Amino acid sequence: MALLPLAEPADLAVRLRTTFADGSPEELAAEALIEDASAQVRTATGQNIYPVETDTVELTGGDRLLNLPQWPVVVDVDHPLVVVEYDDYATSSVPLVDGVDYVRHGHQLIRSPGPNAGGSDGAIRRGGGDWAEKVVVTYTHGLPEIPPEVRAVVLSVAMRGYVNPGALRSRTLGSYSETFATETVGTGELTESDLRRLARAGWAVRAHSVRSSRRGSW
């Protein structure tokens, strides 16, 4: 499934104080840079951000807390949360009920600690409050609009690539010499500043993203 970019070429044009003609090389370059920057942000945060409906994921349980990988979770009449738990051999399953078998807190599903439920599925709804080893969840997640802080980071990365596509430190044209600030060198990757900005806005940054982008102390 192709994911939508987290900003638009028109957003970049405004920040560059220019306009892009439809289908021009400049607009195509802006689109490509924004798509690349969007992918970088999604990799760093582990989040799609835009809404995805009826997404089905297989999760490993084993304890009382189960984290849905994408958030925010959308649950309403049109977007049900379907949770199915399997036995240890994945040969039988049972749908679980919100507020009975578990409670939802944000993107976390907390297993009810009560005794085994009666009936033929009692082996699956076991006591002790632990999830089975295999849980399949179908749910809707994401935001209808891209948060300003996420769009700002995407555009910052795209702008660096647009203004300085060759990632030059400096350039000289005749008698004219220009030196680029380190933060404007267009590597196409998130900087430490970008990662901190996402983290401060509540978008948890994956540890591997921090390590791969680190150039000094955090």
Side-chain angles (χ1 to χ4, degrees):
M1 178 185 62
L3 298 174
L4 295 173
L6 301 176
E8 299 295 333
D11 300 324
L12 183 59
V14 169
R15 286 158 177 76
L16 292 169
R17 296 174 177 81
T18 187
T19 58
F20 299 136
D22 290 344
S24 65
E26 291 78 13
E27 184 182 55
L28 295 176
E31 289 177 352
L33 289 165
I34 288 172
E35 288 179 0
D36 291 346
S38 298
Q40 289 283 340
V41 168
R42 287 188 167 112
T43 297
T45 62
Q47 298 298 311
N48 290 332
I49 302 176
Y50 261 129
V52 176
E53 295 195 6
T54 59
D55 187 14
T56 298
V57 294
E58 181 178 315
L59 304 174
T60 300
D63 54 30
R64 191 180 177 194
L65 187 64
L66 198 67
N67 289 303
L68 298 178
Q70 296 289 323
W71 48 269
V73 179
V74 179
V75 180
D76 55 33
V77 175
D78 299 321
H79 305 94
L81 175 65
V82 180
V83 182
V84 179
E85 194 175 45
Y86 289 78
D87 67 12
D88 292 340
Y89 301 98
T91 57
S92 61
S93 63
V94 61
L96 303 188
V97 180
D98 190 358
V100 177
D101 301 298
Y102 66 92
V103 293
R104 182 175 68 87
H105 181 70
H107 67 286
Q108 297 180 324
L109 305 183
I110 306 171
R111 196 68 161 84
S112 296
N116 287 348
S120 60
D121 60 6
I124 297 174
R125 299 187 184 188
R126 58 189 180 279
D130 290 340
W131 288 96
E133 291 299 323
K134 177 182 176 181
V135 184
V136 176
V137 181
T138 300
Y139 69 118
T140 296
H141 52 79
L143 295 166
E145 296 183 1
I146 300 304
E149 62 273 9
V150 172
R151 179 181 287 107
V153 170
V154 169
L155 291 172
S156 178
V157 176
M159 185 180 295
R160 293 196 296 267
Y162 191 92
V163 172
N164 186 8
L168 301 176
R169 295 288 180 179
S170 63
R171 61 185 177 187
T172 300
L173 298 173
S175 60
Y176 173 78
S177 179
E178 181 179 17
T179 299
F180 293 99
T182 300
E183 60 271 17
T184 67
V185 176
T187 63
E189 297 183 357
L190 299 178
T191 64
E192 290 186 9
S193 177
D194 296 328
L195 294 170
R196 285 195 294 266
R197 192 171 185 177
L198 289 170
R200 285 196 300 267
W203 295 92
V205 175
R206 291 181 170 184
H208 71 81
S209 297
V210 175
R211 287 196 299 270
S212 64
S213 298
R214 184 168 292 177
R215 295 294 183 271
S217 59
W218 176 254

